[in-house]
Amino acid sequence: MEELPTFGLDKPQNIRKILKKYDNTEFSEMQYTGNKIKDVPDDFTGLRIKNGDYNECCFNGNSFRYAGASGSRFRSCTLNDCIIEGVNMQFCDFSNSCIQSSNSDRAMINASNLNQSCFYNTKFQGLHIENSSISQSQFFKTKIYDCNFTHTTLQDNNFRDAVIENSSFIGCNMEFSILRNTVLKNVILPFHQIAYIFDGFQNIMLPGNDVKISSSMENAPILTVTEYLQLLPVFSQYYLEEREYFPLANIALFEKNRQLAQKYIYEGLKEYIRMRDFRRLKSLCRLAVIQGDFDRHFLSELYFKIVYYFMSVELTVGEQYQFNLHIDEIKNILFDNTEKSHIVLALTTDLTIEQAEEFTYLISVLEDCLQYSEISDKDYSFEIKHNSPTFSIWMLVASLDPNRLILFISILKGIVEGSTAWLLPALAVTADIITLGTFIKQLMENNSSLPAEACVGTKDNKTASYVENKHKMLQEKNIKLGLSIGNLHFNYESKKKYH
């Protein structure tokens, strides 16, 4: 092998030429871009299409076999009879494009990855898509005509305001996809998947939609929607035996049995927590939000149960990674009103089951603190845990005005610690003397000290007296508390709005 020389960079060098000695594919001089090209001439077989960017271009029969095109943009383009086989087109943008084939017997898209791509206002025409994965993608205003999807994964997709006509999805996995306000004309959906689709039942029942249901089994019957719905009691029994709580809750919600749906959501929560199955846990929470129309208290209770469990057990490195990866998304699903800031606090007590009177008194004190902080009773929830032999309380508190939450935290810490020192940082945030970030940093460091100049004009004798009085009342009842921060989410835009 030719010995590769070392180079000093103190004189001009052809850097790309040097690097090509080591990898002539990655450091190719080819630029994969185009604008309004009527017939793109390139053969992309096996190529690494780095930062591909095509606009209003036409691809006629081009081969993308085994190409790496992740993150490329094909906007307002036409792809005619191209060979998309063994291709990685993850994170691609096909907005306003047309992908079409004149030979429906040949799979134009085969064994390829188009996950997490955007198909906004994209037209699919005459395609046979086989053994591929198109998941976690956006199909907003997408048109799918005369297409055949076989053995293809279509999980976690968002079909919204789309039109699908004369197309089949037999044998596809469409788990946890959203089918919202989508026109379905002469469409065949997979027999085993409708109960796993958000709004799946609702959509196949829309007036004007024409849907059949079948499977990939040889000589499988093709069912009408009416025939399929008659099987729901059988499906429910099967899912119950298999402990599949997502489809059970989905069927119950479709049948407008909210009480039964709520039961299945609770049971599913326990089952998926036990299995450490964060994907199904996340989808169950999304079902409660999208189709359940449950109140904030129920949704916050789901969040409490998830957080409390995973913070009270020892997780493996892999489980901790999965928890950290998914918990923020679960939180955003359950509290989809992102304008509201919210906090999760854990309050430990020394109260046992024999001290019901003292415990009731403590709850009344907490509710009074929330009222004093001007937080609506619609915006907080308590989750009471009996950690033998004592009780603990998890609180989720939300507000459009983050200053209300800051005040509540400072009052509660003051009552627990018997000090009014935390009122100064809270009032300084309200007065815009220190930032929310500074307050949070002090909170995490358990440090309430402020520079002397920050204390000017921030004294609040009324609130200080309130804190001292509540602390004294708990002391008289011999109630001892501990406070820890479970989660903080502050909306900075709301902070500006309510300043």
Side-chain angles (χ1 to χ4, degrees):
M1 189 175 93
E2 177 187 355
E3 183 177 349
L4 294 170
T6 57
F7 298 93
L9 297 179
D10 54 343
K11 54 185 179 181
Q13 300 281 346
N14 185 334
I15 300 299
R16 188 182 294 274
K17 185 177 180 180
I18 295 170
L19 295 174
K20 282 179 69 176
K21 290 179 178 290
Y22 300 87
D23 189 337
N24 63 359
T25 300
E26 181 68 22
F27 299 98
S28 167
E29 295 177 3
M30 286 288 295
Q31 297 295 313
Y32 300 103
T33 61
N35 184 51
K36 298 184 178 180
I37 301 175
K38 291 184 177 180
D39 193 357
V40 177
D42 299 326
D43 180 353
F44 300 98
T45 300
L47 294 182
R48 167 79 166 88
I49 304 173
K50 198 169 184 178
N51 300 319
D53 191 358
Y54 293 90
N55 183 58
E56 295 185 46
C57 294
C58 188
F59 297 82
N60 291 302
N62 301 66
S63 172
F64 291 88
R65 186 179 280 122
Y66 312 126
S70 179
S72 293
R73 293 172 292 277
F74 301 90
R75 289 176 289 203
S76 301
C77 291
T78 301
L79 285 79
N80 292 312
D81 294 322
C82 293
I83 301 171
I84 302 174
E85 181 178 342
V87 182
N88 180 14
M89 284 184 162
Q90 192 168 8
F91 305 115
C92 285
D93 183 359
F94 294 93
S95 296
N96 300 304
S97 291
C98 178
I99 307 172
Q100 58 191 16
S101 172
S102 59
N103 181 5
S104 59
D105 294 329
R106 178 183 67 84
M108 176 172 161
I109 300 176
N110 184 27
S112 295
N113 171 16
L114 283 78
N115 293 339
Q116 295 166 296
S117 292
C118 177
F119 299 99
Y120 170 77
N121 199 35
T122 303
K123 180 182 177 183
F124 290 72
Q125 178 74 56
L127 299 182
H128 182 188
I129 300 174
E130 189 172 53
N131 301 320
S132 295
S133 181
I134 312 176
S135 297
Q136 296 179 317
S137 297
Q138 294 293 321
F139 290 85
F140 181 48
K141 295 188 176 181
T142 308
K143 284 82 175 173
I144 299 175
Y145 300 131
D146 307 306
C147 292
N148 185 20
F149 294 78
T150 59
H151 306 295
T152 290
T153 301
L154 298 165
Q155 296 180 352
D156 300 296
N157 287 323
N158 191 350
F159 293 88
R160 194 177 293 268
D161 298 329
V163 176
I164 306 176
E165 294 184 2
N166 305 317
S167 297
S168 171
F169 296 85
I170 290 178
C172 292
N173 185 345
M174 301 180 73
E175 275 188 357
F176 310 134
S177 286
I178 297 173
L179 202 60
R180 178 68 59 85
N181 194 32
T182 294
V183 174
L184 303 170
K185 299 284 189 182
N186 191 27
V187 172
I188 304 179
L189 294 178
F191 177 79
H192 65 301
Q193 287 290 288
I194 296 175
Y196 289 90
I197 299 173
F198 295 100
D199 287 325
F201 291 115
Q202 290 79 356
N203 219 272
I204 64 175
M205 292 290 291
L206 285 177
N209 276 356
D210 174 20
V211 176
K212 300 290 190 299
I213 297 100
S214 190
S215 75
S216 56
M217 181 181 75
E218 188 177 357
N219 299 320
I222 299 175
L223 304 178
T224 65
V225 170
T226 301
E227 291 170 332
Y228 180 80
L229 294 179
Q230 288 172 350
L231 290 173
L232 289 188
V234 181
F235 271 117
S236 293
Q237 185 61 38
Y238 169 78
Y239 292 135
L240 195 58
E241 292 175 1
E242 295 296 317
R243 304 171 71 86
E244 286 285 342
Y245 293 103
F246 179 95
L248 280 169
N250 200 1
I251 291 171
L253 287 170
F254 170 66
E255 295 176 339
K256 302 190 184 305
N257 191 338
R258 284 168 51 84
Q259 187 175 358
L260 184 60
Q262 187 168 321
K263 174 190 172 183
Y264 287 142
I265 288 170
Y266 278 136
E267 291 300 315
L269 205 68
K270 289 191 291 186
E271 179 72 6
Y272 301 153
I273 284 174
R274 183 187 64 80
M275 296 171 63
R276 309 291 203 270
D277 191 331
F278 292 96
R279 178 171 171 266
R280 286 201 283 181
L281 196 60
K282 184 166 59 180
S283 296
L284 195 65
C285 292
R286 182 174 280 119
L287 180 68
V289 171
I290 291 179
Q291 290 176 219
D293 193 28
F294 294 108
D295 60 27
R296 174 173 288 276
H297 290 285
F298 175 74
L299 300 179
S300 63
E301 186 179 3
L302 298 183
Y303 182 72
F304 275 136
K305 289 181 182 296
I306 295 167
V307 172
Y308 179 81
Y309 178 82
F310 286 112
M311 291 185 72
S312 62
V313 298
E314 188 171 342
L315 301 175
T316 66
V317 173
E319 289 169 349
Q320 187 65 56
Y321 169 76
Q322 289 293 324
F323 175 76
N324 294 337
L325 188 68
H326 292 285
I327 191 60
D328 280 345
E329 190 175 354
I330 289 172
K331 179 185 69 178
N332 291 335
I333 289 167
L334 292 173
F335 307 104
D336 58 345
N337 184 351
T338 55
E339 189 179 0
K340 283 192 177 182
S341 300
H342 55 266
I343 57 175
V344 176
L345 306 175
L347 199 64
T348 58
T349 79
D350 62 348
L351 300 176
T352 66
I353 196 168
E354 288 82 15
Q355 296 172 287
E357 183 179 340
E358 288 84 353
F359 189 79
T360 302
Y361 181 78
L362 174 59
I363 295 295
S364 69
V365 170
L366 295 175
E367 289 177 335
D368 192 77
C369 291
L370 289 159
Q371 185 177 2
Y372 186 91
S373 304
E374 298 181 15
I375 294 170
S376 166
D377 59 3
K378 294 180 181 179
D379 285 330
Y380 67 82
S381 295
F382 295 156
E383 177 79 4
I384 299 167
K385 298 291 182 181
H386 186 206
N387 300 324
S388 182
T390 59
F391 285 101
S392 64
I393 303 170
W394 284 65
M395 294 177 286
L396 187 140
V397 187
S399 177
L400 284 168
D401 182 0
N403 291 330
R404 300 293 97 212
L405 301 181
I406 295 290
L407 178 61
F408 175 69
I409 292 174
S410 66
I411 288 175
L412 194 56
K413 283 188 70 69
I415 292 171
V416 170
E417 298 171 3
S419 168
T420 60
W422 278 98
L423 293 178
L424 289 178
L427 293 167
V429 171
T430 304
D432 224 21
I433 296 171
I434 66 171
T435 64
L436 274 171
T438 301
F439 178 85
I440 294 169
K441 183 173 183 292
Q442 290 175 321
L443 197 62
M444 295 297 100
E445 295 174 351
N446 202 26
N447 174 20
S448 60
S449 61
L450 280 176
E453 60 271 19
C455 300
V456 178
T458 59
K459 194 169 182 180
D460 183 346
N461 291 329
K462 179 185 174 185
T463 303
S465 177
Y466 177 85
V467 169
E468 291 167 351
N469 183 47
K470 292 297 182 186
H471 176 71
K472 183 179 178 181
M473 291 165 67
L474 291 180
Q475 277 190 317
E476 290 173 352
K477 293 282 187 180
N478 199 27
I479 298 174
K480 296 178 182 177
L481 304 173
L483 180 65
S484 60
I485 309 298
N487 196 289
L488 299 173
H489 170 79
F490 290 109
N491 188 319
Y492 278 71
E493 288 302 313
S494 294
K495 172 70 175 69
K496 295 174 185 177
K497 178 178 178 180
Y498 286 90
H499 173 59

